Amino acid sequence: MELQKQIDSSKLPQHIAIIMDGNGRWAKNRGKFRVFGHEQGAESVREIVEACAELNIPNLTLYAFSTENWRRPKIEVQALMKLLVKALNKELPTLQKNGIRLSAIGNIEALPEKARKDLLSVMEQTETNTHMTLTLALSYGSREEITKTIQEISLKVKNNLISPSDINESIINNHLYTRDLPDVDLLIRTSGEQRISNFLLWQIAYAELHFTETLWPDYTKGHLYNAILDYQNRERRFGKTSEQLNA
């Protein structure tokens, strides 16, 4: 039986987040520059976005560029930003055709002007699409996000807009970049690394974690289906016992 047909459509994750890792190693294994790996990784992005749309996954978040990635060699950062601009313009018709809304989280103001303008333009042109939300984490770091959230809430407390006793999970959620997204159900990381790398630390509190040795440029729909089947075979208890769930 095909993997896709084994997936239970009634138990789909409502939010999948992916740490797309391994582009550089993929290129190095082939004697190529790292940028070549990023270009091939963009093809995997297209395939996985398409697969999620076909499965009716409502939310997909991709870790595209972290706050720490600014430390990489300047030539690689520049190439990544050019690749972002190229991909945004190239994929707009596909986003529109499939009813996909593009969103972004992170310090967007830190992006080069061309990349920022094209990103905002595509976001604006797709804002009424309702089939799926594709969120790009760009210049994103979870610690930076949480720090910013604490600063904003603290300022409201200082100005007597809220009291310290009012602060709860809901208020914190409403100040995060992801305020319009549900918590992550399934977090996938490629390339064999088994760490979170400062990605959605608050939002993955009860996410199922799926690690694969596959490098991102080699990641296909089949790999995604396997991850979803793995997710569906797990018991999500959220602090309860199995007996409580079964009851």
Side-chain angles (χ1 to χ4, degrees):
M1 180 184 291
E2 295 180 12
L3 286 174
Q4 185 177 358
K5 293 180 179 179
Q6 297 178 39
I7 295 173
D8 184 347
S9 61
S10 68
K11 295 173 58 179
L12 290 171
Q14 297 301 290
H15 187 180
I16 296 177
I18 304 179
I19 301 174
M20 307 178 294
D21 195 18
N23 290 341
R25 274 169 284 170
W26 186 91
K28 185 177 180 180
N29 291 342
R30 288 158 176 77
K32 304 284 187 178
F33 291 113
R34 291 175 58 87
V35 173
F36 182 70
H38 295 309
E39 290 173 345
Q40 294 302 307
E43 297 300 317
S44 294
V45 169
R46 180 184 297 110
E47 181 164 346
I48 298 311
V49 170
E50 181 182 83
C52 286
E54 292 171 349
L55 290 171
N56 296 316
I57 303 292
N59 299 285
L60 172 65
T61 298
L62 303 177
Y63 203 7
F65 193 86
S66 74
T67 50
E68 291 77 22
N69 286 155
W70 291 112
R71 304 171 187 167
R72 291 189 174 185
K74 185 176 180 180
I75 189 171
E76 181 176 350
V77 172
Q78 290 175 336
L80 282 168
M81 292 299 121
K82 289 180 180 178
L83 183 60
L84 172 62
V85 170
K86 179 181 178 182
L88 287 169
N89 292 305
K90 181 179 180 181
E91 299 304 325
L92 177 57
T94 302
L95 296 176
Q96 298 288 43
K97 177 183 176 182
N98 292 285
I100 300 172
R101 180 175 74 93
L102 182 69
S103 181
I105 57 175
N107 183 12
I108 306 304
E109 293 301 315
L111 298 176
E113 183 179 1
K114 174 62 174 173
R116 184 174 67 253
K117 287 178 64 176
D118 284 19
L119 173 65
L120 295 175
S121 175
V122 175
M123 288 171 59
E124 182 179 356
Q125 293 180 71
T126 61
E127 63 183 356
T128 59
N129 293 343
T130 59
H131 182 65
M132 187 179 93
T133 296
L134 168 62
T135 302
L136 301 180
L138 291 162
S139 189
Y140 174 87
S142 190
R143 287 186 172 184
E144 184 271 339
E145 176 185 29
I146 293 171
T147 299
K148 179 175 174 290
T149 294
I150 293 171
Q151 291 171 342
E152 290 178 357
I153 294 174
S154 297
L155 186 59
K156 290 185 177 180
V157 171
K158 180 181 178 180
N159 293 331
N160 296 316
L161 297 174
I162 58 174
S163 67
S165 61
D166 290 332
I167 300 172
N168 54 26
E169 287 189 18
S170 179
I171 285 181
I172 294 172
N173 280 327
N174 288 335
H175 287 81
L176 295 171
Y177 289 133
T178 55
R179 60 181 66 89
D180 296 324
L181 295 171
D183 281 347
V184 176
D185 293 312
L186 172 61
L187 174 70
I188 299 169
R189 179 164 189 156
T190 61
S191 88
E193 302 292 354
Q194 297 188 26
R195 54 179 177 269
I196 306 304
S197 296
N198 198 19
F199 185 48
L200 301 175
L201 299 177
W202 174 275
Q203 298 87 343
I204 64 169
Y206 279 101
E208 298 297 323
L209 309 183
H210 179 90
F211 300 104
T212 174
E213 296 287 334
T214 305
L215 301 177
W216 179 247
D218 291 327
Y219 201 79
T220 65
K221 291 183 179 181
H223 294 102
L224 178 69
Y225 299 154
N226 270 319
I228 293 174
L229 287 169
D230 180 30
Y231 165 86
Q232 293 186 337
N233 286 324
R234 299 186 191 183
E235 183 179 65
R236 306 189 74 205
R237 296 191 296 273
F238 297 97
K240 296 181 180 180
T241 65
S242 297
E243 291 73 17
Q244 285 176 301
L245 292 176
N246 292 330

Tab-separated table of all heavy atoms in Angstrom, residues 112-158:
chain	number	residue	atom	x	y	z
A	112	PRO	N	17.759	42.050	4.064
A	112	PRO	CA	18.092	43.065	3.054
A	112	PRO	C	16.806	43.629	2.459
A	112	PRO	O	15.787	42.941	2.381
A	112	PRO	CB	18.897	42.276	2.022
A	112	PRO	CG	19.434	41.103	2.763
A	112	PRO	CD	18.409	40.756	3.785
A	113	GLU	N	16.856	44.889	2.017
A	113	GLU	CA	15.655	45.583	1.559
A	113	GLU	C	14.915	44.829	0.462
A	113	GLU	O	13.683	44.706	0.508
A	113	GLU	CB	16.020	46.986	1.060
A	113	GLU	CG	14.803	47.799	0.637
A	113	GLU	CD	15.171	49.195	0.171
A	113	GLU	OE1	16.373	49.520	0.160
A	113	GLU	OE2	14.244	49.955	-0.180
A	114	LYS	N	15.624	44.316	-0.526
A	114	LYS	CA	14.989	43.614	-1.642
A	114	LYS	C	14.248	42.372	-1.152
A	114	LYS	O	13.094	42.124	-1.535
A	114	LYS	CB	16.032	43.236	-2.687
A	114	LYS	CG	15.528	42.380	-3.840
A	114	LYS	CD	14.472	43.055	-4.678
A	114	LYS	CE	14.105	42.211	-5.890
A	114	LYS	NZ	12.956	42.772	-6.649
A	115	ALA	N	14.905	41.591	-0.305
A	115	ALA	CA	14.283	40.375	0.219
A	115	ALA	C	13.067	40.711	1.067
A	115	ALA	O	12.024	40.056	0.973
A	115	ALA	CB	15.301	39.585	1.041
A	116	ARG	N	13.194	41.748	1.895
A	116	ARG	CA	12.076	42.144	2.771
A	116	ARG	C	10.884	42.628	1.946
A	116	ARG	O	9.739	42.246	2.206
A	116	ARG	CB	12.536	43.235	3.736
A	116	ARG	CG	11.471	43.634	4.751
A	116	ARG	CD	12.022	44.603	5.781
A	116	ARG	NE	12.363	45.894	5.203
A	116	ARG	CZ	13.598	46.316	4.994
A	116	ARG	NH1	14.630	45.549	5.298
A	116	ARG	NH2	13.823	47.511	4.462
A	117	LYS	N	11.142	43.442	0.933
A	117	LYS	CA	10.057	43.984	0.110
A	117	LYS	C	9.338	42.883	-0.660
A	117	LYS	O	8.103	42.864	-0.729
A	117	LYS	CB	10.605	45.039	-0.854
A	117	LYS	CG	10.995	46.350	-0.193
A	117	LYS	CD	11.576	47.344	-1.188
A	117	LYS	CE	10.550	47.753	-2.221
A	117	LYS	NZ	11.086	48.791	-3.152
A	118	ASP	N	10.094	41.965	-1.233
A	118	ASP	CA	9.474	40.874	-1.984
A	118	ASP	C	8.704	39.942	-1.059
A	118	ASP	O	7.620	39.452	-1.417
A	118	ASP	CB	10.539	40.092	-2.756
A	118	ASP	CG	11.003	40.839	-3.993
A	118	ASP	OD1	10.786	42.064	-4.070
A	118	ASP	OD2	11.592	40.207	-4.889
A	119	LEU	N	9.247	39.693	0.120
A	119	LEU	CA	8.556	38.858	1.100
A	119	LEU	C	7.217	39.475	1.483
A	119	LEU	O	6.172	38.806	1.446
A	119	LEU	CB	9.430	38.682	2.344
A	119	LEU	CG	8.777	37.975	3.537
A	119	LEU	CD1	8.466	36.528	3.184
A	119	LEU	CD2	9.684	38.044	4.768
A	120	LEU	N	7.232	40.748	1.836
A	120	LEU	CA	5.998	41.427	2.239
A	120	LEU	C	4.999	41.494	1.091
A	120	LEU	O	3.782	41.404	1.304
A	120	LEU	CB	6.323	42.836	2.757
A	120	LEU	CG	7.157	42.887	4.050
A	120	LEU	CD1	7.516	44.327	4.393
A	120	LEU	CD2	6.400	42.239	5.204
A	121	SER	N	5.512	41.634	-0.120
A	121	SER	CA	4.631	41.687	-1.285
A	121	SER	C	3.897	40.363	-1.481
A	121	SER	O	2.681	40.339	-1.706
A	121	SER	CB	5.442	42.018	-2.541
A	121	SER	OG	4.632	41.958	-3.694
A	122	VAL	N	4.623	39.252	-1.397
A	122	VAL	CA	3.994	37.941	-1.563
A	122	VAL	C	3.032	37.663	-0.414
A	122	VAL	O	1.946	37.099	-0.622
A	122	VAL	CB	5.062	36.834	-1.675
A	122	VAL	CG1	4.407	35.455	-1.718
A	122	VAL	CG2	5.917	37.037	-2.916
A	123	MET	N	3.403	38.066	0.785
A	123	MET	CA	2.504	37.894	1.929
A	123	MET	C	1.192	38.652	1.700
A	123	MET	O	0.101	38.133	1.974
A	123	MET	CB	3.193	38.377	3.210
A	123	MET	CG	4.297	37.456	3.695
A	123	MET	SD	5.285	38.151	5.060
A	123	MET	CE	4.020	38.426	6.300
A	124	GLU	N	1.312	39.868	1.197
A	124	GLU	CA	0.116	40.674	0.959
A	124	GLU	C	-0.758	40.061	-0.141
A	124	GLU	O	-1.989	40.037	-0.027
A	124	GLU	CB	0.521	42.092	0.566
A	124	GLU	CG	-0.660	43.032	0.339
A	124	GLU	CD	-0.230	44.436	-0.022
A	124	GLU	OE1	0.990	44.714	-0.024
A	124	GLU	OE2	-1.113	45.276	-0.301
A	125	GLN	N	-0.125	39.567	-1.193
A	125	GLN	CA	-0.878	39.009	-2.318
A	125	GLN	C	-1.558	37.685	-1.984
A	125	GLN	O	-2.509	37.280	-2.667
A	125	GLN	CB	0.052	38.823	-3.518
A	125	GLN	CG	0.553	40.126	-4.119
A	125	GLN	CD	1.471	39.886	-5.300
A	125	GLN	OE1	1.036	39.460	-6.371
A	125	GLN	NE2	2.765	40.143	-5.112
A	126	THR	N	-1.078	37.004	-0.945
A	126	THR	CA	-1.653	35.699	-0.593
A	126	THR	C	-2.462	35.738	0.704
A	126	THR	O	-2.923	34.693	1.171
A	126	THR	CB	-0.545	34.635	-0.435
A	126	THR	OG1	0.343	35.017	0.629
A	126	THR	CG2	0.249	34.476	-1.727
A	127	GLU	N	-2.648	36.915	1.286
A	127	GLU	CA	-3.231	37.005	2.628
A	127	GLU	C	-4.672	36.504	2.715
A	127	GLU	O	-5.143	36.164	3.807
A	127	GLU	CB	-3.145	38.441	3.159
A	127	GLU	CG	-3.919	39.457	2.369
A	127	GLU	CD	-3.739	40.864	2.916
A	127	GLU	OE1	-3.060	41.009	3.958
A	127	GLU	OE2	-4.265	41.813	2.304
A	128	THR	N	-5.393	36.445	1.594
A	128	THR	CA	-6.779	35.973	1.640
A	128	THR	C	-6.898	34.475	1.343
A	128	THR	O	-8.002	33.924	1.365
A	128	THR	CB	-7.656	36.751	0.639
A	128	THR	OG1	-7.127	36.581	-0.682
A	128	THR	CG2	-7.678	38.237	0.991
A	129	ASN	N	-5.782	33.810	1.052
A	129	ASN	CA	-5.808	32.364	0.808
A	129	ASN	C	-6.077	31.615	2.115
A	129	ASN	O	-5.545	31.982	3.164
A	129	ASN	CB	-4.489	31.889	0.197
A	129	ASN	CG	-4.277	32.439	-1.202
A	129	ASN	OD1	-5.217	32.906	-1.845
A	129	ASN	ND2	-3.043	32.396	-1.687
A	130	THR	N	-6.865	30.558	2.051
A	130	THR	CA	-7.325	29.897	3.285
A	130	THR	C	-7.040	28.399	3.360
A	130	THR	O	-7.316	27.781	4.383
A	130	THR	CB	-8.839	30.113	3.454
A	130	THR	OG1	-9.527	29.568	2.306
A	130	THR	CG2	-9.177	31.592	3.588
A	131	HIS	N	-6.507	27.807	2.289
A	131	HIS	CA	-6.319	26.350	2.319
A	131	HIS	C	-5.212	25.937	3.289
A	131	HIS	O	-5.344	24.941	4.001
A	131	HIS	CB	-5.992	25.833	0.921
A	131	HIS	CG	-5.834	24.340	0.867
A	131	HIS	ND1	-6.876	23.469	1.127
A	131	HIS	CD2	-4.750	23.559	0.597
A	131	HIS	CE1	-6.443	22.223	1.021
A	131	HIS	NE2	-5.160	22.250	0.706
A	132	MET	N	-4.127	26.707	3.314
A	132	MET	CA	-2.997	26.365	4.170
A	132	MET	C	-2.180	27.613	4.457
A	132	MET	O	-2.138	28.527	3.621
A	132	MET	CB	-2.108	25.308	3.493
A	132	MET	CG	-0.981	24.764	4.372
A	132	MET	SD	0.007	23.496	3.514
A	132	MET	CE	1.314	24.491	2.823
A	133	THR	N	-1.557	27.659	5.623
A	133	THR	CA	-0.637	28.751	5.941
A	133	THR	C	0.790	28.215	5.960
A	133	THR	O	1.114	27.296	6.719
A	133	THR	CB	-0.960	29.383	7.306
A	133	THR	OG1	-2.255	29.989	7.252
A	133	THR	CG2	0.071	30.448	7.673
A	134	LEU	N	1.624	28.770	5.099
A	134	LEU	CA	3.047	28.441	5.060
A	134	LEU	C	3.795	29.578	5.745
A	134	LEU	O	3.741	30.721	5.294
A	134	LEU	CB	3.521	28.294	3.617
A	134	LEU	CG	5.036	28.225	3.402
A	134	LEU	CD1	5.634	27.004	4.088
A	134	LEU	CD2	5.377	28.235	1.910
A	135	THR	N	4.475	29.265	6.836
A	135	THR	CA	5.205	30.280	7.594
A	135	THR	C	6.709	30.046	7.459
A	135	THR	O	7.191	28.946	7.706
A	135	THR	CB	4.820	30.237	9.081
A	135	THR	OG1	3.405	30.430	9.209
A	135	THR	CG2	5.542	31.321	9.861
A	136	LEU	N	7.422	31.090	7.051
A	136	LEU	CA	8.879	31.028	6.971
A	136	LEU	C	9.469	31.691	8.201
A	136	LEU	O	9.154	32.845	8.499
A	136	LEU	CB	9.375	31.740	5.708
A	136	LEU	CG	8.872	31.215	4.362
A	136	LEU	CD1	9.477	32.041	3.227
A	136	LEU	CD2	9.201	29.737	4.186
A	137	ALA	N	10.306	30.972	8.916
A	137	ALA	CA	11.031	31.548	10.049
A	137	ALA	C	12.325	32.132	9.499
A	137	ALA	O	13.231	31.402	9.103
A	137	ALA	CB	11.319	30.485	11.105
A	138	LEU	N	12.393	33.460	9.451
A	138	LEU	CA	13.506	34.173	8.825
A	138	LEU	C	14.129	35.135	9.835
A	138	LEU	O	13.417	35.936	10.446
A	138	LEU	CB	13.014	34.945	7.606
A	138	LEU	CG	12.564	34.101	6.407
A	138	LEU	CD1	11.716	34.928	5.458
A	138	LEU	CD2	13.785	33.541	5.681
A	139	SER	N	15.436	35.074	9.959
A	139	SER	CA	16.109	35.852	11.002
A	139	SER	C	15.394	35.603	12.324
A	139	SER	O	15.093	36.518	13.084
A	139	SER	CB	16.109	37.353	10.659
A	139	SER	OG	16.938	38.076	11.544
A	140	TYR	N	15.118	34.309	12.553
A	140	TYR	CA	14.328	33.903	13.711
A	140	TYR	C	15.189	33.196	14.750
A	140	TYR	O	16.037	32.369	14.414
A	140	TYR	CB	13.200	32.956	13.281
A	140	TYR	CG	12.443	32.383	14.465
A	140	TYR	CD1	11.374	33.066	15.028
A	140	TYR	CD2	12.827	31.178	15.041
A	140	TYR	CE1	10.700	32.561	16.129
A	140	TYR	CE2	12.169	30.664	16.143
A	140	TYR	CZ	11.102	31.360	16.677
A	140	TYR	OH	10.453	30.861	17.784
A	141	GLY	N	14.927	33.509	16.006
A	141	GLY	CA	15.520	32.801	17.134
A	141	GLY	C	14.509	32.789	18.257
A	141	GLY	O	13.928	33.821	18.594
A	142	SER	N	14.279	31.632	18.839
A	142	SER	CA	13.233	31.526	19.855
A	142	SER	C	13.572	32.315	21.114
A	142	SER	O	12.695	32.924	21.727
A	142	SER	CB	13.004	30.058	20.219
A	142	SER	OG	11.856	29.917	21.022
A	143	ARG	N	14.836	32.343	21.497
A	143	ARG	CA	15.204	33.114	22.696
A	143	ARG	C	14.971	34.604	22.462
A	143	ARG	O	14.513	35.320	23.364
A	143	ARG	CB	16.664	32.848	23.070
A	143	ARG	CG	16.883	31.473	23.683
A	143	ARG	CD	18.312	31.300	24.172
A	143	ARG	NE	18.474	30.061	24.917
A	143	ARG	CZ	19.604	29.695	25.514
A	143	ARG	NH1	20.675	30.481	25.433
A	143	ARG	NH2	19.671	28.556	26.185
A	144	GLU	N	15.277	35.062	21.251
A	144	GLU	CA	15.023	36.464	20.911
A	144	GLU	C	13.522	36.748	20.949
A	144	GLU	O	13.084	37.793	21.442
A	144	GLU	CB	15.588	36.766	19.518
A	144	GLU	CG	15.478	38.221	19.064
A	144	GLU	CD	14.187	38.527	18.345
A	144	GLU	OE1	13.544	37.584	17.831
A	144	GLU	OE2	13.792	39.713	18.302
A	145	GLU	N	12.734	35.809	20.447
A	145	GLU	CA	11.277	35.962	20.452
A	145	GLU	C	10.735	36.037	21.879
A	145	GLU	O	9.898	36.897	22.199
A	145	GLU	CB	10.637	34.780	19.718
A	145	GLU	CG	9.113	34.801	19.748
A	145	GLU	CD	8.516	33.551	19.125
A	145	GLU	OE1	9.164	32.476	19.177
A	145	GLU	OE2	7.391	33.638	18.606
A	146	ILE	N	11.203	35.140	22.735
A	146	ILE	CA	10.731	35.119	24.119
A	146	ILE	C	11.187	36.370	24.861
A	146	ILE	O	10.426	36.958	25.647
A	146	ILE	CB	11.218	33.835	24.824
A	146	ILE	CG1	10.528	32.611	24.189
A	146	ILE	CG2	10.934	33.885	26.321
A	146	ILE	CD1	11.084	31.278	24.650
A	147	THR	N	12.418	36.818	24.614
A	147	THR	CA	12.913	38.055	25.233
A	147	THR	C	12.047	39.238	24.823
A	147	THR	O	11.651	40.062	25.673
A	147	THR	CB	14.374	38.309	24.811
A	147	THR	OG1	15.195	37.223	25.251
A	147	THR	CG2	14.893	39.609	25.429
A	148	LYS	N	11.742	39.332	23.546
A	148	LYS	CA	10.888	40.410	23.035
A	148	LYS	C	9.500	40.354	23.681
A	148	LYS	O	8.922	41.386	24.043
A	148	LYS	CB	10.782	40.288	21.515
A	148	LYS	CG	9.897	41.326	20.834
A	148	LYS	CD	9.991	41.152	19.319
A	148	LYS	CE	9.015	42.051	18.582
A	148	LYS	NZ	7.619	41.613	18.771
A	149	THR	N	8.981	39.159	23.841
A	149	THR	CA	7.664	38.979	24.466
A	149	THR	C	7.671	39.465	25.907
A	149	THR	O	6.755	40.177	26.349
A	149	THR	CB	7.266	37.490	24.412
A	149	THR	OG1	7.085	37.108	23.046
A	149	THR	CG2	5.986	37.232	25.181
A	150	ILE	N	8.714	39.110	26.649
A	150	ILE	CA	8.818	39.545	28.049
A	150	ILE	C	8.915	41.066	28.133
A	150	ILE	O	8.291	41.699	28.992
A	150	ILE	CB	10.047	38.883	28.723
A	150	ILE	CG1	9.825	37.370	28.842
A	150	ILE	CG2	10.294	39.487	30.118
A	150	ILE	CD1	11.050	36.605	29.282
A	151	GLN	N	9.680	41.661	27.229
A	151	GLN	CA	9.808	43.128	27.224
A	151	GLN	C	8.467	43.803	26.962
A	151	GLN	O	8.113	44.781	27.636
A	151	GLN	CB	10.831	43.547	26.159
A	151	GLN	CG	12.259	43.160	26.483
A	151	GLN	CD	13.208	43.395	25.324
A	151	GLN	OE1	12.789	43.532	24.168
A	151	GLN	NE2	14.504	43.438	25.627
A	152	GLU	N	7.716	43.287	26.001
A	152	GLU	CA	6.418	43.890	25.663
A	152	GLU	C	5.426	43.750	26.816
A	152	GLU	O	4.697	44.696	27.145
A	152	GLU	CB	5.854	43.235	24.400
A	152	GLU	CG	6.627	43.585	23.136
A	152	GLU	CD	6.064	42.887	21.908
A	152	GLU	OE1	5.111	42.082	22.071
A	152	GLU	OE2	6.567	43.150	20.798
A	153	ILE	N	5.390	42.586	27.439
A	153	ILE	CA	4.473	42.377	28.562
A	153	ILE	C	4.891	43.225	29.757
A	153	ILE	O	4.045	43.825	30.438
A	153	ILE	CB	4.412	40.885	28.939
A	153	ILE	CG1	3.778	40.081	27.789
A	153	ILE	CG2	3.618	40.675	30.231
A	153	ILE	CD1	3.791	38.584	27.995
A	154	SER	N	6.200	43.318	29.997
A	154	SER	CA	6.702	44.128	31.114
A	154	SER	C	6.322	45.593	30.950
A	154	SER	O	5.962	46.272	31.920
A	154	SER	CB	8.224	43.997	31.220
A	154	SER	OG	8.601	42.672	31.495
A	155	LEU	N	6.404	46.078	29.716
A	155	LEU	CA	6.038	47.466	29.446
A	155	LEU	C	4.551	47.698	29.724
A	155	LEU	O	4.171	48.741	30.264
A	155	LEU	CB	6.365	47.812	27.993
A	155	LEU	CG	6.168	49.279	27.579
A	155	LEU	CD1	7.042	50.196	28.431
A	155	LEU	CD2	6.487	49.466	26.100
A	156	LYS	N	3.719	46.735	29.395
A	156	LYS	CA	2.290	46.861	29.669
A	156	LYS	C	2.004	46.835	31.165
A	156	LYS	O	1.115	47.543	31.653
A	156	LYS	CB	1.514	45.749	28.949
A	156	LYS	CG	1.478	45.921	27.439
A	156	LYS	CD	0.618	44.878	26.767
A	156	LYS	CE	0.551	45.137	25.253
A	156	LYS	NZ	-0.285	44.135	24.559
A	157	VAL	N	2.764	46.033	31.889
A	157	VAL	CA	2.623	46.027	33.352
A	157	VAL	C	3.048	47.378	33.920
A	157	VAL	O	2.366	47.958	34.771
A	157	VAL	CB	3.467	44.889	33.973
A	157	VAL	CG1	3.505	45.028	35.496
A	157	VAL	CG2	2.905	43.529	33.576
A	158	LYS	N	4.163	47.894	33.431
A	158	LYS	CA	4.663	49.197	33.896
A	158	LYS	C	3.646	50.306	33.655
A	158	LYS	O	3.490	51.211	34.491
A	158	LYS	CB	5.975	49.522	33.172
A	158	LYS	CG	6.592	50.859	33.572
A	158	LYS	CD	7.876	51.109	32.796
A	158	LYS	CE	8.474	52.469	33.148
A	158	LYS	NZ	9.733	52.720	32.382
